[in-house]
Amino acid sequence: MSKGVLAVVSGFSGAGKGTVMKKLLESFDDYALSVSVTTRKPRPGEVDGKDYFFRTKEEVEEMIAQDQLLEYARYVDNYYGTPRSYVEEKLSEGKNVILEIEIQGAMKIKEKIPEAVLIFVTPPSVDELRRRLEGRGTETQKVIESRLSRAAEEAEGMEDYDYLLVNDDLEECVNELHRIISSERCKTQRNTEFINRIQEESRGLMKGDL
Amino acid sequence: MSKGVLAVVSGFSGAGKGTVMKKLLESFDDYALSVSVTTRKPRPGEVDGKDYFFRTKEEVEEMIAQDQLLEYARYVDNYYGTPRSYVEEKLSEGKNVILEIEIQGAMKIKEKIPEAVLIFVTPPSVDELRRRLEGRGTETQKVIESRLSRAAEEAEGMEDYDYLLVNDDLEECVNELHRIISSERCKTQRNTEFINRIQEESRGLMKGDL
């Protein structure tokens, strides 16, 4: 069985990433979501090891020191990070691991795991993006402006991704994401074991060993 | 409309490349087969521009001199080559162009068109390959041996390909090939025009132009 693919999904807020990933996990059974570690307190109903790994500040700082996080960030005095061991365990089980994360985190992951596949989700046009960001007319002008300028910043990083995924139709987008990740599993660099076996055995063909 | 993908398919004789490609072209309508140029005489029923472009030796040598062939080879006093203009025309029409060719030709194409996607088709195991190469027991030992040693040579080049396509079940293999080529169209490097447009328009978002 070949190892799974680590897929990092980023993109404009309002691009519908969350919905796409939820649908992907429902539709195909060879995927696992990455579970983050955090120092914040669990909210009612949240389960350790499913929603998050809930750890103390000292534990997370120790993980950082030991290079056990693929990336991490601090928001409002709490750490959020991606545990390397969980991701690698799922990949070895043959699951594709999906990670939703903003661009800085995505770049850190690519640094640590070069075979990670980076996918940027975008609406088909900026007009459409603007409509989605402006929401239902209930947001203040300030909120809208901060979303718009964040989107413009995010757009600057698009070329650093491997694939572009246009979210026009939800179902088509989910299938496309599945196609991208499945195809990655056919990359020769991901199949060196198979290739070595075929090469070794076929050298036997020349010598007439068979 | 985005440009099509140039897919170069190689692999062991006996891997079933021909059948896979025929089925791919029947099943999906965004593909075109590359048509080769040759100096050999047309056989009964062969149509110029469909089976081959039939040209004189002088014409083909002129094409070579003008760098109008992506690759070419000489067998038994005849030239066979891949005309660049035909391939580029189909790609601009948005068709994916499929080219079946051996490894040396594949490498020449990758040199001239770095965005070409190289796919190596293989049976699931060397045992299976041997069974297919030995044929139906009608071949001489010499023919079988030459096929076996050719397969062993071909295997050495597998890593130079981008994707590995295991031909176990025909239908699954055709779908996999389609997935690979479709996913390639989502690569960011193939969508720079779309990305530039989104980036330019989203810079407008920051300035509040919209």
Side-chain angles (χ1 to χ4, degrees), chain A residues 12 120 122-127 129-130 133-134 145 148-153 155-166 176 178-184 186-189 191-192 194-199 201-203 205-206 210, chain B residues 12 120 122-127 129-130 133-134 145 148-153 155-166 176 178-184 186-189 191-192 194-199 201-203 205-206 210:
Chain A
F12 303 121
F120 193 95
T122 170
S125 71
V126 168
D127 272 357
L129 174 63
R130 186 170 51 92
L133 290 173
E134 288 179 345
E145 269 169 25
L148 292 175
S149 70
R150 185 152 164 243
E153 266 175 55
E156 297 302 324
M158 285 168 89
E159 287 107 332
D160 297 325
Y161 285 74
D162 299 305
Y163 293 93
L164 199 66
L165 184 60
V166 178
E176 191 81 71
H178 179 58
R179 274 205 294 268
I180 290 172
I181 296 172
S182 311
S183 300
E184 277 288 328
C186 298
K187 283 271 177 81
T188 46
Q189 310 106 282
N191 290 278
T192 46
F194 178 88
I195 291 178
N196 290 341
R197 181 167 61 77
I198 291 264
Q199 286 178 338
E201 288 176 17
S202 74
R203 277 173 211 135
L205 288 176
M206 277 180 103
L210 290 169
Chain B
F12 302 121
F120 194 95
T122 170
S125 71
V126 167
D127 272 357
L129 175 63
R130 187 170 50 92
L133 289 173
E134 288 179 344
E145 270 169 25
L148 292 175
S149 70
R150 182 149 168 246
E153 265 174 57
E156 297 302 323
M158 283 169 91
E159 287 106 332
D160 297 326
Y161 284 73
D162 299 304
Y163 294 93
L164 199 66
L165 185 60
V166 178
E176 191 80 70
H178 179 57
R179 274 205 292 270
I180 290 171
I181 297 172
S182 310
S183 299
E184 277 288 330
C186 297
K187 283 269 178 81
T188 44
Q189 310 104 283
N191 290 279
T192 45
F194 178 85
I195 291 178
N196 291 340
R197 182 168 58 76
I198 291 266
Q199 287 177 338
E201 288 177 15
S202 72
R203 277 174 212 134
L205 289 177
M206 280 180 103
L210 291 170

Side-chain angles (χ1 to χ4, degrees), chain B residues 21-22 40 61 101 118 170 176:
Chain B
M21 287 165 59
K22 188 162 169 278
R40 81 152 167 74
E61 286 174 348
I101 208 166
L118 269 48
L170 174 64
E176 191 80 70

Side-chain angles (χ1 to χ4, degrees), chain A:
Chain A
M1 186 195 53
S2 71
K3 258 185 85 177
V5 168
L6 175 58
V8 179
V9 177
S10 308
F12 303 121
S13 41
K17 294 187 296 290
T19 319
V20 170
M21 287 166 59
K22 188 163 170 277
K23 191 100 205 288
L24 181 79
L25 268 90
E26 283 167 14
S27 309
F28 306 98
D29 57 7
D30 43 357
Y31 291 93
L33 261 189
S34 161
V35 177
S36 299
V37 66
T38 184
T39 54
R40 82 152 166 74
K41 297 277 165 289
R43 292 181 191 138
E46 284 186 336
V47 177
D48 183 53
K50 183 170 173 280
D51 299 294
Y52 285 97
F53 296 108
F54 295 103
R55 296 291 180 267
T56 64
K57 189 164 168 264
E58 290 68 34
E59 286 170 327
V60 171
E61 285 175 348
E62 181 60 21
M63 292 177 91
I64 293 169
Q66 305 270 335
D67 196 28
Q68 286 170 12
L69 297 182
L70 291 177
E71 57 79 40
Y72 69 94
R74 242 184 126 143
Y75 300 109
V76 204
D77 254 8
N78 279 309
Y79 285 113
Y80 294 82
T82 304
R84 184 193 279 270
S85 60
Y86 181 84
V87 168
E88 290 185 341
E89 184 191 314
K90 292 292 164 189
L91 294 175
S92 315
E93 289 170 11
K95 296 275 185 192
N96 303 313
V97 178
I98 312 282
L99 193 57
E100 188 192 334
I101 209 166
E102 35 50 87
I103 181 162
Q104 288 85 353
M107 295 306 130
K108 280 183 206 152
I109 292 195
K110 189 81 183 175
E111 244 179 71
K112 298 209 179 177
I113 305 196
E115 67 268 30
V117 178
L118 270 47
I119 301 162
F120 193 95
V121 184
T122 170
S125 71
V126 168
D127 272 357
E128 177 60 25
L129 174 63
R130 186 170 51 92
R131 268 191 294 276
R132 296 190 198 172
L133 290 173
E134 288 179 345
R136 307 187 194 87
T138 54
E139 318 289 342
T140 64
Q141 193 56 33
K142 209 178 152 192
V143 168
I144 294 173
E145 269 169 25
S146 110
R147 285 185 180 174
L148 292 175
S149 70
R150 185 152 164 243
E153 266 175 55
E154 286 164 337
E156 297 302 324
M158 285 168 89
E159 287 107 332
D160 297 325
Y161 285 74
D162 299 305
Y163 293 93
L164 199 66
L165 184 60
V166 178
N167 185 10
D168 198 355
D169 173 78
L170 174 64
E171 196 157 338
E172 181 45 41
C173 181
V174 169
N175 288 333
E176 191 81 71
L177 182 55
H178 179 58
R179 274 205 294 268
I180 290 172
I181 296 172
S182 311
S183 300
E184 277 288 328
R185 290 185 84 141
C186 298
K187 283 271 177 81
T188 46
Q189 310 106 282
R190 297 184 194 273
N191 290 278
T192 46
E193 218 170 291
F194 178 88
I195 291 178
N196 290 341
R197 181 167 61 77
I198 291 264
Q199 286 178 338
E200 208 159 299
E201 288 176 17
S202 74
R203 277 173 211 135
L205 288 176
M206 277 180 103
K207 289 185 234 121
D209 287 357
L210 290 169

Side-chain angles (χ1 to χ4, degrees), chain B residues 102-166:
Chain B
E102 34 52 87
I103 182 162
Q104 289 83 353
M107 296 305 130
K108 280 184 207 153
I109 290 193
K110 188 81 183 175
E111 242 178 71
K112 297 208 181 180
I113 305 196
E115 67 268 29
V117 178
L118 269 48
I119 300 161
F120 194 95
V121 184
T122 170
S125 71
V126 167
D127 272 357
E128 177 60 27
L129 175 63
R130 187 170 50 92
R131 269 191 293 277
R132 295 189 198 173
L133 289 173
E134 288 179 344
R136 307 189 194 86
T138 53
E139 318 289 344
T140 65
Q141 193 57 35
K142 208 179 153 193
V143 167
I144 293 172
E145 270 169 25
S146 110
R147 283 185 183 176
L148 292 175
S149 70
R150 182 149 168 246
E153 265 174 57
E154 285 165 337
E156 297 302 323
M158 283 169 91
E159 287 106 332
D160 297 326
Y161 284 73
D162 299 304
Y163 294 93
L164 199 66
L165 185 60
V166 178

Side-chain angles (χ1 to χ4, degrees), chain B residues 67-136:
Chain B
D67 195 28
Q68 285 170 15
L69 298 182
L70 292 177
E71 56 79 41
Y72 69 94
R74 243 184 127 143
Y75 300 109
V76 205
D77 254 10
N78 278 310
Y79 285 112
Y80 294 81
T82 304
R84 183 192 279 271
S85 60
Y86 181 82
V87 168
E88 291 188 338
E89 183 191 315
K90 293 291 165 190
L91 294 175
S92 314
E93 289 170 12
K95 296 273 185 195
N96 303 312
V97 178
I98 313 282
L99 194 57
E100 188 191 333
I101 208 166
E102 34 52 87
I103 182 162
Q104 289 83 353
M107 296 305 130
K108 280 184 207 153
I109 290 193
K110 188 81 183 175
E111 242 178 71
K112 297 208 181 180
I113 305 196
E115 67 268 29
V117 178
L118 269 48
I119 300 161
F120 194 95
V121 184
T122 170
S125 71
V126 167
D127 272 357
E128 177 60 27
L129 175 63
R130 187 170 50 92
R131 269 191 293 277
R132 295 189 198 173
L133 289 173
E134 288 179 344
R136 307 189 194 86

